[in-house]
């Protein structure tokens, strides 16, 4: 059994992977994020009870660039005290178990490929839509991380007057339109025409991001995850509309766009790091 950990900027989830499912799952909200020692103590206290279940290793996904060979994380999103943390060494010394560290969206994508809706596909791009827009890549059944674990940052590509992330995550609602995704979804479901139009516009931005993914990677499947992906029915039509002018319609016909179905998939992906060959393909 392997412990899978999903470290977020607000909360941390951990659980044990057993036969493709997560058991004994626990969640905490991070406190004192300006203190490295305090946040590390919270993480260790979360993991410690899970080591009593005969776990043989730990996999952890972190929202940052990761030196996967040394297990060092850099400038973790929304945790200011985590500028450079030798996370693998810290956890291995604490628990005397092998530890594997990678980017959180890579873990999401790996989880979908190993255990989720993408398990029957050889090439997959996972896109998480939430506070940001992140992506992970599977090529020939292997997780591709790039030279610095920075591959797949579709959200950072230039788009309109900013980048894709500016228009294709929560920022679109919070900053561009002065509302929230939750408020917009409630209004749209209640029949508010302005909110329905807002989601249609959001779908167009997601569709444009998907076109970028197609032009670069041409995967068999794209899996949408993250908190805002739960509103997929609200932005699906706008997304499909934006795909109408894709230059290679036959490729688009073969593409599968799917919504993630498992809230534990990032934990499963983190656990799967243990058996994943993370060497950069050349």
């Amino acid at each position: 059994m392997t412990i899978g950990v999903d470290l977020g900027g607000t909360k941390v989830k951990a659980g044990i992977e057993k036969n493709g499912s997560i058991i004994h799952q626990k969640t905490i909200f991070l406190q004192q994020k300006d203190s490295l020692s305090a946040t590390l103590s919270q993480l260790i206290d979360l993991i410690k009870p899970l080591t009593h279940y005969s776990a043989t290793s730990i996999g952890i996904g972190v929202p940052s660039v990761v030196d996967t060979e040394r297990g060092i994380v850099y400038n973790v999103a929304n945790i200011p005290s985590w500028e450079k943390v030798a996370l693998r060494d810290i956890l291995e010394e604490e628990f005397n178990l092998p530890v594997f560290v990678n980017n959180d969206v890579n873990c999401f994508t790996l989880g979908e490929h190993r255990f989720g809706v993408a398990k029957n596909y050889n090439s997959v791009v996972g896109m998480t839509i939430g506070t940001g827009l992140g992506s992970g890549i599977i090529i020939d059944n292997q997780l591709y991380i790039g030279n610095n674990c920075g591959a797949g940052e579709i959200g950072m590509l230039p788009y309109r007057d900013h980048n894709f992330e500016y228009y294709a995550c929560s920022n679109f609602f919070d900053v561009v339109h002065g509302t929230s995704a939750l408020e917009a979804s409630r209004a749209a479901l209640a029949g508010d025409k302005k909110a329905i139009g807002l989601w249609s516009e959001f779908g167009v931005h997601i569709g444009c991001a998907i076109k970028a993914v197609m032009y670069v990677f041409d995967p068999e499947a794209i899996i949408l995850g993250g908190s805002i992906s739960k509103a997929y029915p609200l932005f699906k039509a706008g997304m499909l509309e934006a795909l109408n002018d894709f230059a290679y319609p036959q490729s688009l016909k073969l593409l599968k766009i799917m919504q993630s179905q498992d809230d534990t998939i990032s934990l499963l992906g983190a656990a799967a790091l243990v058996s994943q060959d993370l060497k950069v393909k050349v």
Side-chain angles (χ1 to χ4, degrees):
M1 292 187 289
T2 299
I3 296 172
V5 183
D6 182 21
L7 175 68
T10 303
K11 61 184 178 181
V12 190
K13 297 187 292 185
I16 295 176
E17 185 274 319
K18 182 179 181 182
N19 299 325
S21 297
I22 293 296
I23 59 175
H24 306 299
Q25 182 176 340
K26 298 178 179 294
T27 303
I28 61 168
F29 286 88
L30 284 176
Q31 308 293 328
Q32 297 176 276
K33 291 192 290 183
D34 289 330
S35 168
L36 176 59
S37 60
T39 48
L40 283 173
S41 293
Q42 291 172 68
L43 177 62
I44 289 168
D45 289 345
L46 175 68
I47 295 172
K48 188 173 296 182
L50 298 175
T51 62
H52 300 154
Y53 294 96
S54 302
T56 57
S57 55
I58 300 169
I60 179 167
V62 183
S64 71
V65 170
V66 180
D67 180 337
T68 57
E69 292 187 3
R70 298 190 295 164
I72 299 173
V73 300
Y74 297 91
N75 304 112
V76 177
N78 298 312
I79 309 180
S81 58
W82 285 45
E83 294 183 359
K84 180 181 178 181
V85 182
L87 189 58
R88 185 191 67 186
D89 290 349
I90 292 168
L91 295 181
E92 286 188 344
E93 181 177 352
E94 178 69 32
F95 297 114
N96 197 29
L97 292 173
V99 175
F100 302 81
V101 187
N102 210 292
N103 173 267
D104 59 341
V105 186
N106 287 343
C107 290
F108 163 79
T109 306
L110 183 60
E112 289 291 358
H113 179 252
R114 291 290 183 86
F115 304 101
V117 296
K119 60 185 177 184
N120 294 322
Y121 299 95
N122 298 322
S123 60
V124 178
V125 171
M127 297 176 64
T128 57
I129 313 167
T131 305
L133 177 67
S135 299
I137 306 161
I138 299 288
I139 300 175
D140 293 335
N141 294 309
Q142 293 291 313
L143 181 64
Y144 179 80
I145 63 173
N147 193 46
N148 302 292
C149 196
E153 292 294 343
I154 301 299
M156 296 296 102
L157 291 176
Y159 175 64
R160 297 196 173 186
D161 55 337
H162 290 279
N163 57 22
F164 278 114
E165 189 165 87
Y166 188 83
Y167 291 100
C169 68
S170 63
N171 189 82
F172 172 80
F173 299 95
D174 301 337
V175 177
V176 179
H177 289 283
T179 181
S180 70
L182 180 59
E183 291 171 350
S185 64
R186 287 173 175 170
L189 292 172
D192 184 279
K193 291 184 179 180
K194 182 178 179 181
I196 293 171
L198 199 63
W199 279 105
S200 179
E201 181 184 347
F202 181 76
V204 169
H205 299 311
I206 295 295
C208 289
I210 287 175
K211 284 190 289 187
V213 168
M214 286 294 291
Y215 286 127
V216 176
F217 299 108
D218 189 23
E220 294 175 274
I222 293 175
I223 316 302
L224 303 180
S227 57
I228 297 180
S229 73
K230 297 182 185 302
Y232 184 53
L234 294 176
F235 65 81
K236 181 179 179 180
M239 178 194 77
L240 294 177
E241 178 185 347
L243 294 174
N244 284 337
D245 64 354
F246 185 70
Y248 308 114
Q250 182 59 29
S251 299
L252 199 58
K253 287 180 182 178
L254 297 174
L255 174 68
K256 303 295 183 184
I257 301 175
M258 297 176 283
Q259 182 184 9
S260 179
Q261 302 296 319
D262 188 343
D263 288 338
T264 69
I265 205 69
S266 291
L267 295 180
L268 290 168
L273 291 173
V274 174
S275 59
Q276 172 69 26
D277 179 5
L278 296 176
K279 293 179 181 179
V280 178
K281 300 179 75 66
V282 296

